[in-house]
Amino acid sequence: MSDLSTRYLGLNLKSPLVASASPLCESVDNIKKLEDHQLAAVVLPSLFEEQLELESMAVDADLGRGADSFPESASFFPDLKTYNLGPDGYLELIRHAKESVRIPVIASLNGVSNGGWLQYAKLMEEAGADAIELNIYSIATDPAIGAAELEQGYIDLLRYLKHSIRIPVAVKLSPFLSAPANMAVRFDEARADAIVLFNRFYQPDFDIEQLEITPSLALSRPEELLLRLHWTAILYGHVRADLGITGGVHSAQDVIKCILAGARVAFMTSALLRNGVQHAAHVLSELNRWLDEHEYSSVQQMCGSMSHGAVPDPSAFERGNYMKVLSSYSLRANAFND
Ligand SMILES: Cc1cc2nc3c(=O)[nH]c(=O)nc-3n(C[C@H](O)[C@H](O)[C@H](O)COP(=O)(O)O)c2cc1C
């Protein structure tokens, strides 16, 4: 048996397989099941900036400080008071989960602006969360705001958070950045303890009969992992922060690729939703088998060994690969058959 343990966010984990934020981690019973099925840690579903701002407005109203109006945009959201248990229920979940399981419990905040809602991180810390994952899910719809301004906003957000709490902070990043390597280094300088690549964006679909925009959530496919492997392999060795991969991790082979690229942890949600939580034990036993077969004594030993800096020919990660891949495609004869 190889040593599957890893260190992430300063926490000792039994293996690199972690349940990422989703309704799977929304109840203590589920979290216990995830622990029983060998997930090494859990990330709770996110509380959203919009929920927390709404909560603080309600408190202001109760205190007679006046909360003129809730933001108009609030009507687009699900019931903000109860979504993902709501702010109070969420703290209760952290406390109860910490009493019930031994694996680390990572709380999650989702937002983009540097405001009062971030104070909630302190309450999460006091409730016992082992770390916080900050999900920066931003959609840059305002043409007046450029990339530099937005990106500085993300860095300021992290700095504020790091200043207000002592537990480690992971930043879950968007894949839609012009210069992910530069952003990762800046997050590193702002003392991110981990960088998680990448958020999945849930683009709405078009209903062409009703002419309406419809929300859609499709579970991930393993092909989505490639983008994450690519950037993890590039970042490995350039940042002090731990790297984690979320998006497209479905099998033991996927977990192995994540570690080889340089990730300390591989997060899983879609595969657990699709196959049940027992899938995790299967993935870990396959991981063990692979390590034995390839004579690795530990997961840590293999971490980053296929990163950009470690492979003999890193050009596959760069622009030259683009032409090489295109030119390697040969038209199949039947493409022209009627
Ligand atoms: C139903 C559902 C709910 C999710 N809720 C959250 C959330 O609250 N916060 C968050 O950061 N990510 C959330 N995610 C994203 C997952 O944590 C994960 O990053 C994403 O599904 C990609 O991983 P996968 O390929 O293993 O599914 C959710 C995903 C699903 C499918």
Side-chain angles (χ1 to χ4, degrees):
M1 290 279 274
S2 309
D3 175 7
L4 297 190
S5 69
T6 184
R7 255 180 93 70
Y8 177 65
L9 292 169
L11 305 163
N12 292 320
L13 304 188
K14 281 182 290 188
S15 86
L17 192 61
V18 174
S20 53
S22 87
L24 273 176
C25 311
E26 202 186 44
S27 75
V28 174
D29 282 349
N30 277 2
I31 294 171
K32 280 190 198 159
K33 277 192 201 128
L34 290 163
E35 179 178 52
D36 291 345
H37 286 89
Q38 302 180 33
L39 273 301
V42 292
V43 185
L44 305 183
S46 308
L47 275 187
F48 287 74
E49 172 179 349
E50 293 78 3
Q51 284 179 284
L52 300 169
E53 290 294 357
L54 195 69
E55 172 91 351
S56 69
M57 282 187 214
V59 171
D60 278 354
D62 285 349
L63 295 174
R65 292 203 291 255
D68 300 341
S69 62
F70 291 145
E72 266 178 52
S73 61
S75 60
F76 296 122
F77 291 92
D79 184 350
L80 292 174
K81 288 206 174 96
T82 55
Y83 186 68
N84 283 343
L85 304 174
D88 293 338
Y90 199 93
L91 295 180
E92 199 42 49
L93 174 67
I94 297 175
R95 281 189 212 102
H96 195 177
K98 285 300 296 173
E99 285 161 12
S100 312
V101 295
R102 296 165 68 103
I103 55 175
V105 174
I106 301 170
S108 166
L109 281 172
N110 188 318
V112 282
S113 47
N114 196 344
W117 68 282
L118 282 170
Q119 288 165 15
Y120 209 80
K122 186 81 197 143
L123 300 179
M124 290 172 157
E125 178 176 51
E126 285 165 7
D130 291 288
I132 288 189
E133 187 177 271
L134 174 66
N135 182 336
I136 305 176
Y137 192 110
S138 165
I139 303 187
T141 48
D142 185 345
I145 303 180
E149 188 180 338
L150 280 171
E151 289 169 4
Q152 187 55 46
Y154 306 154
I155 302 291
D156 293 344
L157 189 62
L158 174 66
R159 281 194 200 282
Y160 182 94
L161 200 53
K162 284 294 293 181
H163 190 70
S164 18
I165 54 172
R166 298 164 71 120
I167 51 175
V169 179
V171 185
K172 192 170 180 178
L173 273 191
S174 156
F176 304 123
L177 293 164
S178 300
N182 173 265
M183 273 311 279
V185 169
R186 290 171 67 198
F187 278 122
D188 209 40
E189 286 164 2
R191 297 193 298 120
D193 299 280
I195 297 173
V196 180
L197 311 172
F198 286 118
N199 244 326
R200 283 182 82 229
F201 278 75
Y202 301 110
Q203 287 95 350
D205 203 351
F206 281 30
D207 178 335
I208 58 170
E209 294 307 325
Q210 303 298 323
L211 300 186
E212 280 175 2
I213 305 293
T214 50
S216 81
L217 188 160
L219 296 179
S220 73
R221 288 168 288 106
E223 302 85 89
E224 295 176 41
L225 183 61
L226 299 185
L227 178 74
R228 280 91 182 158
L229 290 177
H230 188 117
W231 281 105
T232 303
I234 289 171
L235 293 182
Y236 182 79
H238 292 286
V239 287
R240 181 200 41 82
D242 299 332
L243 299 171
I245 291 185
T246 180
V249 178
H250 285 244
S251 63
Q253 288 75 10
D254 296 337
V255 175
I256 294 162
K257 290 176 191 176
C258 292
I259 311 294
L260 290 171
R264 296 279 182 99
V265 287
F267 293 96
M268 192 176 264
T269 285
S270 292
L272 297 175
L273 287 170
R274 212 170 260 143
N275 306 310
V277 284
Q278 61 281 4
H279 182 61
H282 171 69
V283 167
L284 290 173
S285 88
E286 284 289 293
L287 170 62
N288 230 319
R289 196 176 55 77
W290 188 91
L291 285 163
D292 284 348
E293 274 175 20
H294 293 78
E295 298 181 357
Y296 282 109
S297 58
S298 71
V299 155
Q300 294 186 37
Q301 193 191 359
M302 68 194 253
C303 186
S305 54
M306 287 188 71
S307 61
H308 182 266
V311 291
D313 178 13
S315 65
F317 292 113
E318 293 167 5
R319 189 176 149 78
N321 184 53
Y322 178 55
M323 276 185 69
K324 196 167 156 190
V325 166
L326 295 184
S327 63
S328 71
Y329 190 87
S330 55
L331 285 179
R332 269 166 275 134
N334 65 5
F336 289 106
N337 291 341
D338 291 331

